[in-house]
Amino acid sequence: SAARISLSIPLGRDLSSSASVDTRRGGRLYRAGFQGATRSNNIDWRARMSAGRIERYDLGAIMRSNAGETAMHASRVDNHNGVRIGHAGSIGLIEGQRFSGRTIEGAFALVDAGAPNVAISRNHFDLGRTNARGVLLATNLRPYEINTISIDPDDLPLDRAPANADRRIAPREGAGTLLKFEEAAARVIDTIARLMDGTPAPYGGMLVREKDGERFPVGRDGLVTLIGDEPGDDYELNGQIPCESMRVGPSVEIRCAS
């Protein structure tokens, strides 16, 4: 004859425990275990032990990072010890850029956000953050289907402003691509728009860049925040008065006809 009683107890959002008693002809077996995860969900761990007719202790953990997935397991069974460590990941080179990351399945993309520690997501699912070189390997993309890769603009330095934080790609099966968010490097410049006589441009006006139609409102005392200004850009104030951007060292001056 045999009988078993088990109990599972949640101890919080990221921690749970279990216990059981197993009775059979060979004797009783008592088991207890705990398992959980770190709040960042980068580490899952489990600890188990048993006593009675079998004495056993197990401790295991899985750590996930941009470099792949590392698993560690240690056990002791009836005075015999064992340790096992394994790592699964990938390394490679694409368009001259080296990368390392998690195991590649389906398709993949090397995402260059232009800055380190920028959050990357695929179809609103968190993929992680860029490394010190500003890149992240996005794996398990759906081949031949639209994958929307996004960066979090709030993670970019204050002197960067992405024109588009989302990019859509449809890679081939087993193939990879280099995805650059070049717009993330667009310069943000605070300057003063002035008329030729030196007075500030009127508050509430609108500077319109001729090459792309981008519009930049004029604040108090002529203050204007320009995004992506390049040498030689021309503007119009309120769509009527021609203006010119002039480089003065690292800064920019906007002068408009009176």
Side-chain angles (χ1 to χ4, degrees), residues 103-157:
T103 302
I104 295 176
E105 297 179 5
F108 67 96
L110 184 62
V111 182
D112 186 349
N117 201 34
V118 176
I120 306 294
S121 63
R122 174 183 61 85
N123 299 339
H124 306 293
F125 176 77
D126 180 38
L127 295 178
R129 291 182 173 271
T130 57
N131 61 18
R133 295 189 295 120
V135 299
L136 172 76
L137 182 65
T139 58
N140 300 324
L141 303 184
R142 294 180 178 178
Y144 308 110
E145 296 183 22
I146 295 297
N147 296 263
T148 301
I149 306 297
S150 307
I151 65 174
D152 188 345
D154 292 337
D155 291 336
L156 291 167

Side-chain angles (χ1 to χ4, degrees), residues 126-204:
D126 180 38
L127 295 178
R129 291 182 173 271
T130 57
N131 61 18
R133 295 189 295 120
V135 299
L136 172 76
L137 182 65
T139 58
N140 300 324
L141 303 184
R142 294 180 178 178
Y144 308 110
E145 296 183 22
I146 295 297
N147 296 263
T148 301
I149 306 297
S150 307
I151 65 174
D152 188 345
D154 292 337
D155 291 336
L156 291 167
L158 293 178
D159 63 343
R160 310 226 174 161
N164 188 351
D166 300 318
R167 297 284 298 275
R168 304 175 73 194
I169 59 174
R172 295 177 297 167
E173 175 74 34
T177 184
L178 178 61
L179 184 60
K180 288 187 175 183
F181 282 84
E182 296 177 351
E183 298 89 349
R187 300 183 63 211
V188 177
I189 301 173
D190 289 329
T191 186
I192 303 296
R194 299 182 184 276
L195 303 180
M196 287 300 180
D197 60 7
T199 59
Y203 172 67

